Amino acid sequence: MAVKIGRNDPCWCGSGRKYKKCHEAFDEKLEMFRLKGFPVLDHKLIKTPEQIEKIKESCKINIAVLDYVGEHIGPGVTTQQIDDWVHEVTVRHGGIPAPLNYNGFPKSVCTSINDVVCHGIPSEDIVLKEGDIVNVDVSTIYNGYFSDSSRMYMIGKVSPEKERLVRVTKECMEAGLEKVQPWTPIGNMGHAVHQHALDNGYTVVREIGGHGVGLEFHEDPWVSYTSEENSGVLMVPGMIFTIEPMVNMGKEDIWQDEEDGWTVRTDDGLPSAQWEIMVLVTETGHEVLCW
């Protein structure tokens, strides 16, 4: 917890208001839950209204980029073309593609096709064909603030099995979103995601999860989508994180390509799907900032 603030001192959030009129009640409630054993976030990860508005501006670009991809993607498109679109549209709007050179990642976007779970690297040699499903994961920096979301695209006519996987994965994300409520553990969200996948005969990747986002590309907390109810960090107003389950048609096991150091695939070669949204916890529930 932060150093004790006087009730008449300026609030730690930067609002300019006195602490007693701003976040004192919030901090008292947070401390009550902490004493009951709930993990809580550091103040620096609770976004202020000003920060939230700036993050929303970044989100507008991210959404516009994915809209553009959806309007142009189709059979015969290379994943490098998708990368070119993402870079051009992002820069045209004044943003910076967050993945480019992030920990050495060589491209502006991740493109993950069929059995690729995540972190697929765009290439001139990878051409989308009829029947493919592909996740396009876009992340944007705008005036120093970060946004992050991804969508699934079905290329031409896909098999009923792939169509169902894409649809149910989106339902998993939506089931998790329904559980995003202030002053409840984030494990409730992850449990709802996992249960919907299991109910439909699918599995959820355990090793890779979501994350806090906004002031940095990846912040605490790490977010599991196979969690138990009433576990994990407390969701509180001002917290922003991603819901991005990776749902496999077959087993949950995955492996990472040692040659490129990034691409993650299903171990059994069966398809995987993912949708990602960015969610703000509010006083009364939640707000989806980016999709």
Side-chain angles (χ1 to χ4, degrees):
M1 299 295 290
V3 175
K4 182 69 175 177
I5 302 173
R7 299 185 72 237
N8 290 312
D9 290 342
C11 186
W12 54 261
C13 76
S15 66
R17 300 171 65 198
K18 290 182 179 180
Y19 180 54
K20 65 183 179 183
K21 296 290 187 180
C22 196
H23 270 91
E24 183 181 39
F26 173 94
D27 283 347
E28 288 174 349
K29 193 169 186 178
L30 202 65
E31 178 66 4
M32 178 187 73
F33 277 99
R34 188 188 69 81
L35 292 173
K36 290 181 178 180
F38 290 91
V40 299
L41 285 180
D42 190 274
H43 278 164
K44 67 181 180 181
L45 296 174
I46 306 299
K47 277 64 176 180
T48 67
E50 181 182 13
Q51 289 170 335
I52 290 167
E53 289 307 308
K54 291 178 179 178
I55 291 167
K56 286 181 178 180
E57 292 300 311
S58 180
C59 289
K60 289 179 183 177
I61 298 175
N62 218 70
I63 293 165
V65 171
L66 282 166
D67 286 347
Y68 186 94
V69 171
E71 292 165 2
H72 294 83
I73 200 169
V77 169
T78 68
T79 52
Q80 181 57 51
Q81 284 177 281
I82 298 173
D83 187 77
D84 292 341
W85 296 338
V86 169
H87 192 279
E88 192 276 327
V89 176
T90 302
V91 171
R92 174 154 43 91
H93 283 83
I96 300 168
L100 186 59
N101 299 318
Y102 177 77
N103 289 339
F105 189 79
K107 298 292 181 175
S108 296
V109 66
C110 296
T111 51
S112 304
I113 305 171
N114 297 330
D115 68 318
V116 177
V117 175
C118 62
H119 303 160
I121 301 175
S123 169
E124 291 281 9
D125 299 326
I126 302 175
V127 183
L128 296 177
K129 62 183 184 299
E130 187 94 4
D132 284 338
I133 58 172
V134 56
N135 177 270
V136 179
D137 191 347
V138 173
S139 308
T140 303
I141 311 169
Y142 182 66
N143 290 336
Y145 292 86
F146 291 77
S147 53
D148 189 8
S149 59
S150 78
R151 301 179 193 170
M152 292 297 299
Y153 300 99
M154 293 183 284
I155 308 303
K157 184 177 177 61
V158 305
S159 69
E161 292 82 8
K162 284 184 177 179
E163 185 278 331
R164 181 174 182 269
L165 174 67
V166 170
R167 173 174 52 82
V168 171
T169 301
K170 191 173 187 180
E171 292 172 359
C172 288
M173 179 191 71
E174 292 166 346
L177 180 63
E178 290 180 3
K179 295 295 185 179
V180 178
Q181 298 292 331
W183 309 107
T184 63
I186 200 169
N188 295 352
M189 180 280 301
H191 178 78
V193 169
H194 195 204
Q195 192 60 53
H196 191 72
L198 293 177
D199 288 347
N200 282 275
Y202 299 136
T203 61
V204 179
V205 172
R206 294 178 177 274
E207 297 94 328
I208 307 172
H211 53 89
V213 62
L215 307 182
E216 301 290 343
F217 193 175
H218 295 95
E219 305 171 357
D220 286 336
W222 184 80
V223 181
S224 169
Y225 306 109
T226 60
S227 50
E228 297 295 330
E229 289 184 294
N230 297 315
S231 67
V233 71
L234 199 68
M235 295 183 285
V236 297
M239 177 180 172
I240 298 176
F241 61 93
T242 64
I243 302 179
E244 50 175 315
M246 301 169 196
V247 179
N248 293 350
M249 186 181 290
K251 296 180 179 180
E252 65 190 31
D253 306 293
I254 58 175
W255 63 280
Q256 185 175 55
D257 190 316
E258 294 182 359
E259 289 189 18
D260 66 35
W262 285 98
T263 306
V264 176
R265 292 183 171 86
T266 59
D267 195 52
D268 55 17
L270 291 175
S272 182
Q274 179 190 30
W275 294 83
E276 177 182 12
I277 56 175
M278 227 173 111
V279 182
L280 166 70
V281 183
T282 66
E283 295 286 350
T284 57
H286 56 258
E287 179 182 355
V288 179
L289 303 182
C290 200
W291 58 87

